[in-house]
Amino acid sequence: MMEWYFALGFLLGLIIIFMLIGMPIAFSFLSANLIGAWVFMGGSNGIIQVLNNGFGALSSFSLVPIPLFLLMGELFFRTGLGMRMFGAVDVLMGQVPGRLSYVTVVGGTGFATVSGSSMGSTALLGSVLVPEMVKRGYKKHMSIGPIMGTGGLAIIIPPSALAVLLATLAKIDVGALLVAGVVPGFVLAGLYIVLIWVQTRLDPQAAPVYGVPRVASLKKVFIFLRDVLPMVAVMAVVVVMLMFGWATPSESAAFGALGVVSLAFLYRCMTWKAFFASIEGALKVTLMAFMIVLGSATFSQLLAFSGGSSGLISWATSFDLSPVLMLLAIFAVLIVLGTFMEQISIMMLTVPFFFPLAAKLGFDPIWFGVVVLLSLEISFTTPPFGLLLFVMKGVAPAGTSMKEIYIAAIPYILCSMFMVALLIMFPSLATWLPNMLQ
C-alpha cells in the first residue's frame, strides 16, 4: 500500500499537469480519477466501480435546485426585470450624496439574491451603471468598488447555485446552508453601505451631488410597489419556503423560477428570444456543474480509498494549534488559491479535505460552509487574478486600468474579511436562523 502522502501527491500532481496543458477543470479531475482508479483500485474493475459511484452522485435530489436557480437568474437578467428594479431604486434614493453608489449596493443586493450569479450580476451592473457614474463625475473607486463587492453577495444570499453545489459536495443540508447565508449576507451589504458613507464624508468630490427631478411621495410608493416589491417578493418567497420547511430546496427553486416567469409575462417583457437565451445559459452552466460533481465525487472516493484524505487530516491535526488558528490557516489557503484558480475548482480541490477536518475540529458544518462561501466571495475579487476583477475590466469604460480596479476592490475585501471575523466571534450570525427553524 502506498504511503498517504505519495498517493495524495500522485493524484494532485496528475490534476495539476492536466490543468497546465489546458484541459478544463472537470475533465482534469475526471482524467486523474480514472488513472488513479487504475493504480489504486485494481485496473479496469476499479475504473468501473469509480464511475458507477460517480454517476450515482449525479442522481442526487439535492442537485435539482442548481438548474432552477440558474434559470431564475437568467430570466431575471435577460427579460429586463433587473433593470426595472434598478431604475426604481434610483428614483427612490433622491438626492443622497453618493446616490448611485448606494443604488448599486441596494439594487445590486436585490439583483444578486434573485440572479444567484456573481459574474452575471457584476457584468450587468458594470456595463450599465459604471458609464453613468463616470458621466456624473464619480471617481473610479466609487463606481467600480460597490459593483464588485455587491456582485460577490450572490454567493452568500439565497438563492445561490454555488451554495447548493458546495452543500452537495460537502454532503451537508442544502436548505440549512442557504438559510444560513441570509443574515451574514445582509450584514455584509450593510457594511458596504457604511463604507460608502465614510468614503463620501472623507472625499465629497468622489461622488458629486447632482440635481434630479423631485418625485412626490405618493408616486414613490407606487414605484416601489410596482417595480421593487414584486422582484424582492420572489426572493423572499424562496427563502421563507426554505425557512419554514414548506418546501424542499428543489421545490423552492421551482417556485422561484415560476415567479420570475410570471413577472416577466405580467410586465410584458417575456420574449421567445429572452426565453431561449435563458434556457441556453442555464443549460451550459448546469452541464458544467454536473461534470464537476462527477469529478469531485470520484476524487473524494479515491482519496478515501488511497488513504490520502485521512492521512492529511491526521497530519494536520497533529500540530498543537487551536481550532481558530487551524480555521485561519484554512481561510488563508482558500484566499491564496483564489488568486489563481476559479471558485468551483477550489471547491473541488478543498472540500474533500477541509470539511472532514472541520468536523474533527468540532466546527458546525453549516457555519463552516458559510465561512467557506465568504472565503470564495473574497477570492472572487482577490488581486491579481480574481474572476470579478477581469469581468469588471471587460465591461468598464475604456482606459480603466487593472490597478484602478485592484484599488477599488480592496476596501470591499476588507469588509468581507471583517465579516469573517464577526462570524468567528459570533457564530450564531450563521447558525441562529437555521437552528431556530429546525
Side-chain angles (χ1 to χ4, degrees):
M1 185 71 176
M2 189 182 295
E3 292 289 344
W4 70 266
Y5 41 84
F6 286 126
L8 181 62
F10 176 74
L11 290 172
L12 293 179
L14 285 174
I15 292 169
I16 292 170
I17 289 171
F18 288 133
M19 289 175 63
L20 288 176
I21 64 176
M23 189 178 289
I25 180 65
F27 292 107
S28 298
F29 271 81
L30 194 56
S31 301
N33 293 341
L34 294 177
I35 296 173
W38 182 277
V39 172
F40 296 116
M41 302 180 69
S44 58
N45 290 332
I47 292 177
I48 292 171
Q49 181 181 345
V50 164
L51 288 177
N52 285 339
N53 292 341
F55 284 116
L58 293 180
S59 63
S60 172
F61 188 64
S62 61
L63 290 174
V64 176
I66 292 178
L68 293 171
F69 281 153
L70 291 170
L71 179 61
M72 185 178 170
E74 288 282 339
L75 287 167
F76 191 72
F77 167 67
R78 296 184 184 278
T79 57
L81 289 173
M83 293 317 300
R84 287 186 72 99
M85 184 174 70
F86 271 104
V89 173
D90 187 25
V91 172
L92 295 174
M93 290 294 293
Q95 299 195 35
V96 176
R99 178 171 65 97
L100 290 177
S101 296
Y102 289 117
V103 167
T104 301
V105 173
V106 175
T109 300
F111 180 74
T113 58
V114 183
S115 72
S117 169
S118 293
M119 289 188 288
S121 179
T122 301
L124 174 67
L125 302 184
S127 59
V128 173
L129 294 180
V130 172
E132 179 66 20
M133 286 192 264
V134 170
K135 187 172 71 175
R136 299 290 184 182
Y138 280 55
K139 293 183 179 179
K140 291 288 177 66
H141 69 276
M142 294 298 295
S143 59
I144 293 173
I147 292 174
M148 287 189 293
T150 306
L153 291 175
I155 297 177
I156 307 166
I157 303 177
S160 166
L162 200 65
V164 175
L165 186 58
L166 176 64
T168 304
L169 296 179
K171 297 181 176 60
I172 60 178
D173 190 314
V174 174
L177 183 59
L178 287 170
V179 171
V182 173
V183 174
F186 283 105
V187 170
L188 185 56
L191 290 175
Y192 291 164
I193 289 175
V194 172
L195 173 62
I196 293 170
W197 182 84
V198 171
Q199 289 176 325
T200 55
R201 290 299 180 275
L202 294 177
D203 183 9
Q205 295 307 309
V209 178
Y210 58 92
V212 292
R214 301 186 69 86
V215 179
S217 298
L218 191 61
K219 187 173 181 180
K220 284 186 176 182
V221 172
F222 173 73
I223 291 172
F224 174 79
L225 294 175
R226 183 191 64 186
D227 293 336
V228 177
L229 186 61
M231 320 306 178
V232 175
V234 171
M235 180 272 295
V237 167
V238 171
V239 174
V240 168
M241 293 178 79
L242 282 170
M243 286 171 54
F244 293 100
W246 297 340
T248 65
S250 303
E251 292 164 346
S252 299
F255 275 107
L258 180 62
V260 175
V261 170
S262 302
L263 286 178
F265 277 111
L266 181 64
Y267 287 100
R268 297 183 180 181
C269 54
M270 175 64 81
T271 63
W272 284 113
K273 181 179 179 182
F275 179 74
F276 285 121
S278 300
I279 294 289
E280 181 182 0
L283 181 61
K284 286 179 180 178
V285 181
T286 299
L287 289 174
M288 179 187 70
F290 275 55
M291 286 298 299
I292 285 164
V293 171
L294 175 63
S296 179
T298 52
F299 183 59
S300 299
Q301 182 186 354
L302 274 174
L303 285 174
F305 190 86
S306 66
S309 54
S310 59
L312 181 64
I313 291 168
S314 299
W315 173 78
T317 53
S318 66
F319 295 99
D320 189 19
L321 296 176
S322 68
V324 172
L325 287 178
M326 289 295 294
L327 178 67
L328 293 177
I330 291 171
F331 177 74
V333 169
L334 291 171
I335 298 301
V336 170
L337 288 176
T339 62
F340 60 90
M341 291 177 67
E342 50 91 21
Q343 278 56 41
I344 294 177
S345 304
I346 297 172
M347 285 168 50
M348 291 182 68
L349 197 59
T350 59
V351 164
F353 304 113
F354 285 170
F355 274 83
L357 177 59
K360 192 154 187 174
L361 293 169
F363 295 144
D364 182 287
I366 300 302
W367 172 84
F368 183 69
V370 175
V371 172
V372 170
L373 287 174
L374 269 168
S375 305
L376 295 174
E377 187 262 338
I378 294 170
S379 68
F380 249 27
T381 49
T382 302
F385 300 122
L387 281 182
L388 293 190
L389 300 172
F390 291 98
V391 172
M392 178 54 66
K393 175 64 175 174
V395 299
T400 303
S401 67
M402 287 304 298
K403 180 181 177 182
E404 290 174 317
I405 295 175
Y406 293 159
I407 292 172
I410 288 173
Y412 294 86
I413 293 173
L414 295 176
C415 282
S416 298
M417 288 184 172
F418 180 65
M419 187 68 237
V420 173
L422 287 177
L423 279 173
I424 294 173
M425 292 186 289
F426 309 104
S428 59
L429 285 171
T431 58
W432 168 74
L433 197 53
N435 290 341
M436 182 191 70
L437 297 171
Q438 287 178 356

